[in-house]
Amino acid sequence: MAALRDKYAIVGTGKSRLGQVGANSLALLEEAIKNALVEAGLTNKDIDGVVVRGADDIYSHHQMVAARLGVDASFSTSLDNGGASQILSIILAVMAIEAGLASTVVCGYGRDSWSRTHAKGGVGLPQNDLIPAAQRPKEHGPEFGHFGAVSQHAFGARRHMFEYGTTRDDFAQIAMAFREHALRNPEAVMKKPMTLEDYYKARLIVDPFGMFDCSLNSDGAGAVIVTSTERAKSLKQKPVLIKGFATHNNTKGWIEEDHMLSTGAVESGERAFKMAGLGPKDVDTAQIYDCFTYMVLTQLEDYGFCKKGEGGEFVRSGALRMGGTLPTNTSGGQLSEAHVEGMLQIVEGARQLQGIYGPERQVTDAEIALVSGHGGNQVCHSTLILGRA
Amino acid sequence: MSDYKKPIPVPSAESQPYWDGLREQKLMMPRCNDCSSYWFPPSLLCPRCNSANWTWTKTSGRGRVFSYVVYHRVYHPAFAQEVPYAVAVVELDEGPRMYSNVIGIPPDKIVCDMKVEVAYEPITDAITLPKFKPLAA
C-alpha cells in the first residue's frame, strides 16, 4: 500500500448550504459537487467516476447523481457503510484510478434529514425514522423500547465510564471544544457558545447522552474530486495528497466482544499510519467522526493519540482546541457545524492543509490531517490521512 | 391483551423456536454441537466455527448487565408513560448478549456487571418477552 502513498490527491472540495435548508438530498449533493468542480477548475466533461452515498431509501443513488451531472461513468457506485462510506468513497476512487477504471472521480454525500424529520407539521421525528420501515428490526430490540443509534452508542459510553472512570464532564469537554470551533466558522449551524452549565441543562435523550452529546439533524452535502497527483499538477488548486487510508469493520457486531470500547479505528488507524509512513505524533489536526461525544473520546484512544482509558484526561487537557496539541473538528464537526455523515470532515481536513483560512480558523503550519469515518450498525470504520503538497 | 400498544416481535423462520421456548418459560439459544458455543440472535451456522450441526438448548437464564442506558426521549408513543426506563445489554452466563429491560429496580440503581436473571413477561398468547431482574441473593 505504501506504493500508493502520495500518488493520488484531492483537487477540489465543495459544500452545499447547511442546516435547515429545506432541499432534497440529491439537489444538495448536486450543489456541493458543482462547488467542488468549480474549485478544482474542472467541468462535468472531466469526470468519469462517481462514488456517492445518499439516503438509504434512494435506489441506484449513484445513477441519479451521474444523470444530474450529465456524466456517463466508466466507474460508479453507491456505498452502504454508513458514516464510514465517505472515506471509503475516496479509497474506491483511488483503487479505480489505480486499476485504470477511471481517471477523475467525484466522491460525495448528500443528506436531507432535517427536511425529512420536520416534514410533518414542523415536529421533529427521531432520526430512527429515517431508516426505511422495512429495514428496521422487528424483534430483539423494539419490544423493549430500544430504538436507534443514540442508545447503541450510549451503551459504549456507559461501559467506558464503568471501566475507566470517564464522566459526562469529559464528554462536555468535547462538545464545548467543537462548539467553540463552530463560532469561528460562518457556515456552522450552531452560533451560540456552550458552557458546562449549558451542557448539563440540555435535556437528557438516552442517559448518559444529553442533547449536546448528539450530532445535529441537518440538511447538507459535501463533495471532493480525486485524481492522480500527476494530473493534479496541471490543475487550478494546489493538491492535497492522499498519504494513507484503511478500513476495518467490526462486523461481528457492536455489542459483541469489546467493540463498543475499542472501535475499528484500532486496526484501520494502524494500517493507514503504516501506509502513510507516519504515526499519531505526526498529525497536526484531526477530523474525527463525531456522531456522539463519546465516539470522539474512544477514537482518540483507538488511534493512539492517548492510551485506552485516558481519553477523559486527554480531552480535559484542552488538546482538541485551537492552539491545543491536536486541534480536532476545527469546523465544529457534526456536533456543531452540520451532520453530513463525515463528508464535511474530509472537506475540512483538506482545506486546513490548503491553508485557506484566516488566522482564527487556520491550524498553524498544518501539514498532516487525520480524518475518520464511523457508521453502519456502529461497526464500520475508515481512516484517511492527508498531507500538504 | 388486545390493548397492548408496544411493538410486538415478529418472529422469523429462524427465531420461531426461540419465541416458542419463551412461551414455555424457557430461554433457549442455539448451541453448536461441534464447538459447544452458544449464540444469539439465531442464524443458520455457528458464528464461531460455521458448523450447521447445532441444537436449541435451554440456558440458565442468568447473566450480568454488560451495559445499560436510560431512555428519556419517547421514540414510540406506547413508551410515553414508561420514561425514564432502562434498556440493557445482558450477557448470559453461557456467553450470548441480548437487549432487554432490567425490571424490579429503579434505573438509577442499575450498575454494569450486576447479576441478573430472566423474568418472563407474556404480552400475547404467542409472545412472551424475556426481561431481567436483579438476581436474588
Side-chain angles (χ1 to χ4, degrees), chain A residues 139 145 151 155 159 207 255, chain B residues 15 19 67 70-71 85 97 113:
Chain A
E139 55 179 346
S151 43
F155 283 129
R159 186 74 200 183
D207 185 5
I255 69 169
Chain B
S15 69
W19 295 109
S67 190
V70 182
Y71 274 71
Y85 62 91
R97 292 179 187 164
D113 282 355

Side-chain angles (χ1 to χ4, degrees), chain A residues 124 126 138-140 142-147 150-152 154-155 158-159 162 204-207 255-257, chain B residues 7 9-10 12 15 19 40 64 66-73 75-76 79 85 87 97 99 101 112-113 130:
Chain A
K138 301 289 183 291
E139 55 179 346
H140 316 316
E143 64 267 38
F144 303 113
H146 179 42
F147 306 98
V150 183
S151 43
Q152 285 291 88
F155 283 129
R158 176 83 67 196
R159 186 74 200 183
F162 176 73
L204 285 168
I205 306 295
V206 179
D207 185 5
I255 69 169
E256 301 300 323
E257 302 181 357
Chain B
V10 181
S12 66
S15 69
W19 295 109
F40 189 78
R64 63 170 174 150
F66 182 74
S67 190
Y68 71 98
V69 296
V70 182
Y71 274 71
H72 289 257
R73 173 151 193 188
Y75 287 85
H76 184 291
F79 287 89
Y85 62 91
V87 176
R97 292 179 187 164
Y99 301 110
N101 300 122
C112 290
D113 282 355

Side-chain angles (χ1 to χ4, degrees), chain B residues 14-18 28-31 40 42 54-58:
Chain B
E14 290 164 20
S15 69
Q16 188 62 56
Y18 167 78
M28 312 280 284
M29 299 257 159
R31 187 185 194 191
F40 189 78
W54 55 271
T55 309
W56 281 100
T57 307
K58 186 172 182 286

Side-chain angles (χ1 to χ4, degrees), chain A residues 9-14 35-42 225 227-241 350-351 353-357 388-389:
Chain A
I10 291 173
V11 295
T13 61
N35 289 336
L37 285 170
V38 168
E39 197 203 84
L42 296 170
I225 315 288
T227 192
S228 69
T229 307
E230 187 58 35
R231 173 144 199 258
K233 286 176 186 166
S234 62
L235 297 180
K236 189 171 140 195
Q237 294 292 333
K238 198 168 121 181
V240 173
L241 300 176
R351 290 183 177 178
L353 300 177
Q354 289 174 320
I356 62 165
Y357 294 126
R388 190 162 73 184

Side-chain angles (χ1 to χ4, degrees), chain A residues 199-213:
Chain A
Y199 171 84
Y200 279 108
K201 267 167 66 181
R203 65 193 175 101
L204 285 168
I205 306 295
V206 179
D207 185 5
F209 288 159
M211 195 168 67
F212 290 149
D213 291 295

Side-chain angles (χ1 to χ4, degrees), chain A residues 225-289:
Chain A
I225 315 288
V226 175
T227 192
S228 69
T229 307
E230 187 58 35
R231 173 144 199 258
K233 286 176 186 166
S234 62
L235 297 180
K236 189 171 140 195
Q237 294 292 333
K238 198 168 121 181
V240 173
L241 300 176
I242 296 169
K243 301 189 86 68
F245 53 71
T247 68
H248 187 82
N249 303 332
N250 284 332
T251 15
K252 286 179 190 167
W254 172 247
I255 69 169
E256 301 300 323
E257 302 181 357
D258 64 349
H259 293 166
M260 67 171 73
L261 291 171
S262 180
T263 70
V266 173
E267 295 87 349
S268 182
E270 192 179 316
R271 279 184 283 117
F273 277 129
K274 190 174 174 195
M275 176 176 167
L278 298 169
K281 287 191 165 46
D282 299 309
V283 176
D284 299 308
T285 177
Q287 311 296 333
I288 302 287
Y289 196 92

